[in-house]
């Protein structure tokens, strides 16, 4: 195996076999094939146990939701300005504090905070908390249009309710009184399933969202940010007279999130590819709000969580690009003689 040509020939042969059936299974006797079928049947039993395990985890999440509820309620009151935390509740090191100040505080009990001048009029709560949080998340930032921002400024809370029958969850967006719509709460409900499908027995990867339902928004007159009035000229074919007609057209808006495409009740029904893509994106957003934003809202608000770091494999891609861009001729430390010597060492093995 010390001959590089032999190694190269083997690598080329293996590369050509990737993704191709080896024919080994077809060559097995019928008795062995039956045993393999028995193993697959056992594997399916494991899949069903895994699905049952996921259902129990969801029930446990529902149970622990009661423990989170008072914490989230206090968070809501602080943001809305309904509750003012005392000094003890505010005792948490800030990023702008020097490490030396923190050490002195720990040693001497002295509190030394960097402060800025308070505005002439007292502030209330944390303005635009949720709007800022959403804009700091890349997945949501692209949904938010300029005309959405003043509406989102009145968003006071995002609450999560877990449902057990059917399995799923509901996101509740609570708004302060505003000039855009009369609703106090907008909801988005997601239905999930955690079961192994006999038609795809080994495709189970945990609970999945299978449908979602939004809600009607009761917009005040002329304030619907999801619609725009478009004026168009129309010419009468007989008289030649021209008139201006106004037509409402749907525009991009965060609030389209509450009007998702409908999922057919029949699971075997075909779904248009564009609708399927919209649903998958919607499911991803709903899952992200549930799993990441609701539990860690303040960290997204402050930017402590970098959403760029949450992209899978991004670091690996950057590493690959570094290798691809490397030019040994531009490297002042590159010594070709070492490569030659290295080649000799390989051949002598």
């Amino acid at each position: 195996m010390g001959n590089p040509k032999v190694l190269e020939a083997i690598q080329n042969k293996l590369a050509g076999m990737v993704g191709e059936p080896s024919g080994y299974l077809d060559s097995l006797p019928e008795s062995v094939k039956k045993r393999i079928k028995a193993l697959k049947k056992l594997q399916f039993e494991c899949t069903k146990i895994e699905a049952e395990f996921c259902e129990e985890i969801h029930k446990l999440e529902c149970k622990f939701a009661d423990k989170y509820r008072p914490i989230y309620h206090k968070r809501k009151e602080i943001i809305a300005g309904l509750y003012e935390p005392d000094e003890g509740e505010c005792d948490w090191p800030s990023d702008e504090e020097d490490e030396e100040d923190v050490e002195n505080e720990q040693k001497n009990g002295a509190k030394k905070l960097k402060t800025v001048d308070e505005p002439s009029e007292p502030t209330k709560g944390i303005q635009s908390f949720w709007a800022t949080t959403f804009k700091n998340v890349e997945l949501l930032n692209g949904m938010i249009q300029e005309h959405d921002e003043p509406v989102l400024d009145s968003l006071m809370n995002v609450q999560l309710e877990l449902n057990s029958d059917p399995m799923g969850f509901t996101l509740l967006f609570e708004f302060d009184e505003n000039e855009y719509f009369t609703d106090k709460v907008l909801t988005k409900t997601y239905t999930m399933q955690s079961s192994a499908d006999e038609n795809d027995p080994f495709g189970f990867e945990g609970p999945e969202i299978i449908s979602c339902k939004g809600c009607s928004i009761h917009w005040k007159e002329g304030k619907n940010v999801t619609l725009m009035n478009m004026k168009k000229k129309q010419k009468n074919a007989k008289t030649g007279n021209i008139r201006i007609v106004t037509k409402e057209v749907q525009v991009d808006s965060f609030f389209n999130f509450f009007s998702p495409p409908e999922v057919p009740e029949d699971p075997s029904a075909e779904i248009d590819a564009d609708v399927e893509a919209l649903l998958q994106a919607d499911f991803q957003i709903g899952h992200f709000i549930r799993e990441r934003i609701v539990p860690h809202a303040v960290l997204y608000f402050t930017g402590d969580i970098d959403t760029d770091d949450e992209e899978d494999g991004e670091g690996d891609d950057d590493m690959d690009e570094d290798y691809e861009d490397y030019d040994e001729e531009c490297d002042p430390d590159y010594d070709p003689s070492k490569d030659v010597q290295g080649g000799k060492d390989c051949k002598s093995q």
Side-chain angles (χ1 to χ4, degrees):
M1 285 295 182
N3 191 328
K5 291 184 178 180
V6 175
L7 290 173
E8 182 180 1
I10 294 174
Q11 289 173 345
N12 290 338
K13 180 66 175 176
L14 291 173
M17 294 173 62
V18 173
E20 295 183 2
S22 64
Y24 170 69
L25 293 178
D26 294 336
S27 67
L28 295 174
E30 196 62 31
S31 59
V32 178
K33 290 181 180 179
K34 287 183 177 180
R35 294 173 195 137
I36 294 174
K37 288 184 177 181
L39 292 180
K40 285 191 173 182
K41 193 170 183 179
L42 289 174
Q43 184 64 48
F44 186 52
E45 292 300 316
C46 291
T47 303
K48 290 192 288 186
I49 294 173
E50 183 181 355
E52 184 181 352
F53 171 77
C54 292
E55 289 180 353
E56 292 299 319
I57 289 294
H58 184 75
K59 292 177 182 178
L60 189 62
E61 288 179 326
C62 293
K63 177 181 177 180
F64 270 78
D66 291 336
K67 294 181 178 290
Y68 287 108
R69 191 166 288 113
I71 298 175
Y72 291 157
H73 180 72
K74 180 171 284 190
R75 177 178 71 180
K76 170 187 173 180
E77 290 194 323
I78 292 174
I79 292 171
L82 301 176
Y83 176 81
E84 189 64 35
D86 59 32
E87 290 297 322
E89 292 172 307
C90 298
D91 186 15
W92 187 267
S94 301
D95 291 339
E96 59 268 18
E97 293 182 61
D98 295 332
E99 292 184 4
E100 183 178 348
D101 293 337
V102 176
E103 291 177 0
N104 290 336
E105 179 185 336
Q106 292 173 342
K107 290 180 180 178
N108 307 322
K111 200 171 188 68
K112 185 178 181 182
L113 294 175
K114 294 182 179 180
T115 60
V116 295
D117 294 336
E118 288 288 337
S120 56
E121 296 184 4
T123 59
K124 179 182 177 182
I126 304 175
Q127 299 298 315
S128 303
F129 177 88
W130 289 102
T132 303
T133 299
F134 285 178
K135 286 189 288 185
N136 284 346
V137 177
E138 186 176 357
L139 188 63
L140 300 180
N141 189 24
M143 298 169 55
I144 300 172
Q145 309 302 313
E146 186 175 352
H147 50 258
D148 294 324
E149 295 186 13
V151 194
L152 287 174
D153 282 340
S154 61
L155 179 60
M156 294 290 102
N157 189 38
V158 180
Q159 185 178 338
L160 169 67
E161 287 186 358
L162 297 176
N163 310 320
S164 56
D165 188 20
M167 181 180 183
F169 61 94
T170 300
L171 300 172
L172 299 95
F173 298 76
E174 302 175 14
F175 287 84
D176 197 2
E177 186 175 347
N178 61 80
E179 61 179 288
Y180 294 93
F181 47 74
T182 59
D183 306 275
K184 295 295 184 182
V185 180
L186 302 180
T187 61
K188 187 70 172 286
T189 300
Y190 290 87
T191 302
M192 306 172 67
Q193 72 174 12
S194 179
S195 60
D197 185 358
E198 292 189 2
N199 296 322
D200 184 19
F202 308 120
F204 179 77
E205 296 181 351
E208 62 177 346
I209 298 172
I210 57 174
S211 67
C212 61
K213 182 181 180 181
C215 67
S216 298
I217 302 178
H218 300 90
W219 297 97
K220 296 180 180 180
E221 186 176 356
K223 294 295 184 177
N224 189 341
V225 297
T226 68
L227 297 176
M228 177 184 292
N229 289 328
M230 298 287 292
K231 293 183 178 181
K232 186 178 180 181
K233 293 181 179 180
Q234 281 188 349
K235 184 177 181 180
N236 190 298
K238 293 181 179 180
T239 64
N241 293 333
I242 297 176
R243 65 172 183 169
I244 305 295
V245 296
T246 302
K247 182 181 179 181
E248 283 187 336
V249 295
Q250 189 170 14
V251 296
D252 291 338
S253 169
F254 172 82
F255 291 91
N256 291 330
F257 176 69
F258 298 97
S259 303
E262 292 186 5
V263 178
E265 294 183 4
D266 183 2
S268 62
E270 292 188 6
I271 302 177
D272 180 78
D274 292 338
V275 174
E276 177 71 21
L278 288 173
L279 285 171
Q280 291 303 319
D282 189 293
F283 295 169
Q284 181 184 7
I285 292 166
H287 178 76
F288 192 88
I289 293 175
R290 170 197 167 171
E291 293 288 333
R292 304 295 300 165
I293 295 180
V294 171
H296 312 107
V298 67
L299 302 182
Y300 285 101
F301 174 80
T302 59
D304 287 323
I305 295 180
D306 187 356
T307 56
D308 291 337
D309 292 341
E310 295 181 336
E311 297 293 331
D312 292 336
E314 184 172 344
D316 296 338
D317 292 340
D318 292 342
M319 183 67 73
D320 292 341
E321 289 176 4
D322 291 341
Y323 278 110
E324 290 171 4
D325 294 340
Y326 174 71
D327 187 353
E328 58 189 21
E329 294 182 359
C330 298
D331 187 350
D333 298 326
Y334 173 64
D335 185 356
S337 63
K338 293 183 179 180
D339 280 357
V340 174
Q341 182 62 40
K344 289 180 181 179
D345 292 342
C346 291
K347 290 180 181 179
S348 63
Q349 289 179 352

